[in-house]
Amino acid sequence: MYIARVPNRKSRPAILLRESYREGGKVCTRTIANLTNWAPERVVAMERLVKGEFDDWSGEMTSGEIFGVLLALKQLADQVGITRVLGSAAESKLNLFLILARIAHGGSRLSAVRWAKQHTVADVLGVEGFDEDDLYAALDWLASQQERIERELYQAYVKEQGQPPVLVLYDVTSSYFEGECNELGQYGYNRDGKRGKQQIVIGLLTAEDGEPLAVRVFEGNTADPTTVASQITILKEQFGIAEVVMVGDRGMIKAKGKAALSAEGFRYITALTDAQIRTFLKEGVLQTDLFDTHLCEVEHDDKRLIVRRNETVRVRERRRREDKLAQLQAKIAERNAFVKNSRRASAAAGLATLQRWAKSHKLSAFVTLTLKERAIVCTLDEEAKAQDALLDGCYLLETDVPLTLMDAKTVDARYRDLQKVERNFRTVKTTFLEIRPIFLRKAERTKAHVFVAMLALKITRRFEADLHRTFGSTEDDPAAITPDDALVALGRLTYLYSTDRNGQRHPHLPRPDEQQAKILEAIGLSFPLKPKADKRAV
């Protein structure tokens, strides 16, 4: 039997339940029932029934493993090219699992093994049973393949863009450990504000649009400028780039880095520190009124100095300074009142505490705290305060890119593109991929763990772009679907199991609801899908 839809001129088609039979060696058809007036959902149910989709079904359905999450992320990995460059070896498939699990789950290798039991890893990724030791071995393999994978992904990026990047962005961050046994872990400048914890330093190299190209891990006490040399090696030897402009944050590209870039024919854009700006002001290279203009340029020692003041930042810094002063005055008043009402209270101890507070909040340059009898007195040096506020919102860019190739406005815009790298770091460290905590000891495995996060970042960027095209951004619509929302919605797509009269379970793939269908369509997937092996769509 089957469902036939017969055109009916200007009326709606007739929907008929028919069957075929043979009579005298000839195939004949007869109509069993007219379903034209049935509700559409009943017609669909009948159509699935005659196809045999409900054979041996007892009428009860139970949910099974989640397949929507890995299915979608695997599609994105294919689009980015990660599946292709990893290859088909057993270690490749395990690393693909680690990358996708980093997006959807995070956590340690052991927790990833537990997470895998709730998802269709075998059907979607072709990976059968494994444990955490298998995942550690996969990380060892990935560490040995990192340069090759980065190079092949870079070549794919160049092919997609039509040309090599003319500008690259570079920045570093740090990530701390809870333990003290990692081979790369050292005490250093902690950007997370976690004192007393060992850390690693991570350097991320991206294209102008923020697309990650390469990542390197250094010991936790590595100074930022010393990491530049490794990036030059990546650009020159690994990617074969002959000419490019590297953009680095203030204090990143210093004298040795500039010389190394120049020796390879590369150019740079960086920012100078406040101390360097004040030195230029003292020497007369710059004048304070230059910062009053929106954007201007000065030449010095064959370098271009781009002078800029951000008015929004200037106002914010001024308000922040006044707020801190108001807090200090309130603390002084509270402490003086306490000392006045308590004969045993130590005025000197209170003075020392507030002096430390003023220093930590960068007020000590123009604030002096003293004791007069038993009361704390705050003296404000207005001239010193004006000097402290002189460079509020000001920054100075330095570049050796000729004016004929890039004007001052473009240099400023390219420097501000570093925000894309910072956004990548936020995604990797806190908002989505959660690279911490790092449950590893060996150096190579730690590097591979960070590389897994970078590859996951490439997928996440594609995921965000696809969702943004379809649903918009949360900036425009607070109800827009984010990657987190999409993963929650896809997590409802699970296998459904029916049980026949003999007690045997049969898996089925459900149809996605409207929201799930839109998400899958946004990333290039649509139903019906052909299920694996004996798994049948219901």
Side-chain angles (χ1 to χ4, degrees), residues 68-219:
V69 172
L70 285 178
L71 180 72
L73 294 179
K74 170 64 163 51
Q75 170 74 3
L76 291 165
D78 293 344
Q79 294 173 359
V80 173
I82 290 176
T83 308
R84 175 183 59 81
V85 299
L86 284 176
S88 58
E91 296 90 349
S92 303
K93 295 179 180 180
L94 286 173
N95 275 296
L96 180 58
F97 166 74
L98 283 171
I99 294 166
L100 304 188
R102 177 56 45 189
I103 299 172
H105 171 65
S108 66
R109 265 52 54 183
L110 178 58
S111 67
V113 171
R114 294 195 298 267
W115 180 81
K117 295 178 181 178
Q118 304 297 321
H119 293 259
T120 54
V121 180
D123 287 349
V124 177
L125 303 182
V127 180
E128 299 297 339
F130 57 88
D131 57 24
E132 63 271 24
D133 290 333
D134 296 322
L135 296 180
Y136 286 130
L139 284 179
D140 293 335
W141 178 88
L142 185 64
S144 69
Q145 299 293 313
Q146 178 172 350
E147 290 189 8
R148 176 190 63 81
I149 292 171
E150 287 176 339
R151 182 170 57 253
E152 292 184 14
L153 288 174
Y154 168 77
Q155 292 168 351
Y157 175 79
V158 171
K159 183 177 180 180
E160 181 181 352
Q161 297 297 314
Q163 63 177 11
V166 297
L167 183 143
V168 294
L169 310 173
Y170 178 64
D171 204 355
V172 300
T173 188
S174 57
S175 186
Y176 63 90
F177 299 93
E178 293 296 341
E180 298 181 354
C181 296
N182 188 278
E183 292 177 354
L184 295 174
Q186 296 289 341
Y187 295 103
Y189 172 60
N190 196 301
R191 295 162 182 81
D192 302 312
K194 295 288 185 178
R195 294 183 177 180
K197 294 190 180 296
Q198 291 187 348
Q199 63 176 22
I200 55 173
V201 172
I202 303 170
L204 180 63
L205 189 70
T206 79
E208 184 176 347
D209 59 0
E211 180 66 19
L213 300 179
V215 68
R216 291 295 178 268
V217 180
F218 308 93
E219 292 185 348

